[in-house]
Amino acid sequence: MNNLPDELLLDILGRIKRTTDRSSVSLTCKRFHKLANGLRTSIRVGCGLHPASDALTALCNRFYNLEKVEIIYSGWMSKLGKQLDDHGLLILSSHCPSLKDLMLSYCTFITDAGLSYLASCSKLASLKLNFAPRITGCGILSLVVGCKGLTVLHLIRCLNVSSMEWLEYLGNHEILEDLCIKNCRVIGEGDLIKLGSTWRKLKRLQFEVDANYRYMKLYDRLAVDRWQKQWIPCENMLELSLVNCVISPGRGLACVIGKCKNLEKIHLDMCVGVRDCDIVCLAQKSSNLQSISLRVPSDFSLPLLQNNPLQLTDESLKAVAQNCSLLDTVRLSFSDGEFPSFSSFTLNGILMLIQMCPIRELALDHVYSFNDVGMQALCSAQYLQILELVRCQEITDEGLQLAGQIPQLCILRLRKCLGATDDGLKPLVGSYKLELLVVEDCPQISERGVQGAAKSVSFKQDLSWMY
């Protein structure tokens, strides 16, 4: 073995897939130990990184080919020692020449100066920042200017990112493929227009507005009005997720929804202003759609809705059913509160999806229109494998007993369903048709009642939600 070149030994060690086995081999001799360390391309560290700079230097020297680094300070307290700071990012940039993927979570000590050090990481392609309150738009700009190959950028709860020059810079360079902006209070829908021609390259967009911050100020219609109707080149978009957004007719994000002809997944959560015509246009353009998730606000969840009633009806579901033959995942949800029949999906609309699309996973939350008749219809759903029912209060034992007749069903989740009792699960007991049964916070179902109803059972009971 001593006569074998390093390249051949690296190939041999690389064929050992289990980390524990590779670690055992590395203890054989110093040469094996050094080569095995070179095969380590990713690390994930947290509060145990103490003292941060010294520990990080030691790790980088030991694992000298790191490509992916995750530093997570969730649950950090001052008694655990000083957090990673800007000097730590300098160590990363100077000791990890192969760094491609970096995630910093709850690293509250880093500032724009630290990001400027990362700008020298020429291979950095993915940066994810979760709760970095000292970072501003200037720091993000210095990073995107330096890292020419950045294709993934996630900003979550970066509360002081206000200037948008970095968005304009990204807009002029068609490189970015995955953009996630969540709860960055100053960044609004109107700012997304600055992406310009980069829309052409985007494959994934997640945009979430801080609900509490926005609702206190009411919806900023002016931000949306600044984004006039125009051509948005987003034909390559595969995944689109919008949460607490304003969808203004004929402009802004409404233009995006109707232009994503290759879209595979869409998630619209509490987005005010979405109309049937938006979903119909989406369905007609996106024949490759595989997953749709809609969480609709009730008429009483926002004062704004008093003058802008919900406009999603069965017409949306009908268009999706008729045009999206690959659809296999459907999640429909209403927010807390009553909602009038003219603004909700009816049982007929839901059944159209089930009958015309190969639905593999169906999740319904607070959908009062789904009842025992709907459960009867599911018995003919040839592809359904996963069924999740949350706060579906019209389902009784009679409907629940039909779950065992759904041909391919293997996972059933019940949460906060008031009408279901132990009797509804009796046909499943002993049959072991289900791989997994999850029952949570259903007041009339007991722990004894779920025993033997599936190969694996999870039961939790917390009824505080009822009071």
Side-chain angles (χ1 to χ4, degrees), residues 227-446:
W227 187 351
Q228 299 296 326
K229 184 177 180 180
Q230 53 188 282
W231 182 66
I232 307 296
C234 50
E235 291 85 356
N236 291 317
M237 188 81 69
L238 299 178
E239 299 180 19
L240 178 63
S241 175
L242 304 175
V243 182
N244 299 321
C245 293
V246 173
I247 310 297
S248 186
R251 65 184 67 178
L253 292 173
C255 300
V256 176
I257 294 175
K259 296 289 181 61
C260 300
K261 64 179 182 180
N262 290 308
L263 199 65
E264 296 178 357
K265 297 181 180 180
I266 185 167
H267 174 66
L268 301 177
D269 187 334
M270 296 291 285
C271 291
V272 174
V274 181
R275 302 168 298 164
D276 276 336
C277 61
D278 296 320
I279 303 300
V280 170
C281 186
L282 167 73
Q284 292 173 346
K285 292 281 187 179
S286 306
S287 58
N288 293 330
L289 194 67
Q290 300 173 19
S291 173
I292 185 168
S293 175
L294 301 174
R295 182 167 178 254
V296 183
S298 70
D299 283 350
F300 300 99
S301 61
L302 288 174
L304 179 64
L305 290 177
Q306 294 177 2
N307 299 319
N308 184 22
L310 299 178
Q311 300 180 57
L312 287 184
T313 68
D314 285 347
E315 289 300 314
S316 295
L317 302 186
K318 180 181 178 181
V320 172
Q322 292 177 340
N323 294 279
C324 304
S325 59
L326 301 179
L327 189 71
D328 66 0
T329 301
V330 175
R331 306 185 71 88
L332 301 177
S333 174
F334 285 90
S335 67
D336 292 335
E338 299 293 333
F339 46 88
S341 59
F342 67 82
S343 62
S344 66
F345 303 128
T346 69
L347 180 60
N348 289 335
I350 298 172
L351 295 185
M352 272 192 290
L353 286 175
I354 296 169
Q355 293 164 359
M356 301 178 67
C357 299
I359 305 299
R360 184 186 59 84
E361 180 176 354
L362 176 64
L364 302 175
D365 185 350
H366 226 136
V367 182
Y368 287 142
S369 61
F370 192 80
N371 52 27
D372 293 344
V373 177
M375 290 296 293
Q376 177 66 54
L378 292 184
C379 294
S380 60
Q382 297 297 318
Y383 303 95
L384 189 63
Q385 298 178 10
I386 303 173
L387 177 62
E388 181 175 344
L389 302 172
V390 182
R391 297 180 293 182
C392 292
Q393 314 303 8
E394 297 301 312
I395 295 177
T396 68
D397 287 337
E398 183 178 351
L400 188 57
Q401 288 171 358
L402 298 172
Q405 300 179 31
I406 303 175
Q408 302 296 326
L409 189 68
C410 56
I411 298 177
L412 175 62
R413 298 187 180 99
L414 302 173
R415 294 187 174 94
K416 301 180 181 179
C417 293
L418 298 176
T421 72
D422 290 349
D423 291 338
L425 296 176
K426 283 184 177 180
L428 293 171
V429 176
S431 68
Y432 295 104
K433 170 185 172 59
L434 297 179
E435 295 289 335
L436 173 65
L437 171 65
V438 177
V439 177
E440 295 182 0
D441 308 334
C442 298
Q444 299 193 78
I445 299 180
S446 66

Side-chain angles (χ1 to χ4, degrees), residues 47 49-52 73 76-84 109:
C47 298
L49 196 68
H50 178 72
Y73 276 99
W76 177 84
M77 296 178 289
S78 58
K79 66 179 182 181
L80 297 176
K82 188 179 179 181
Q83 272 195 17
L84 177 85
F109 282 38

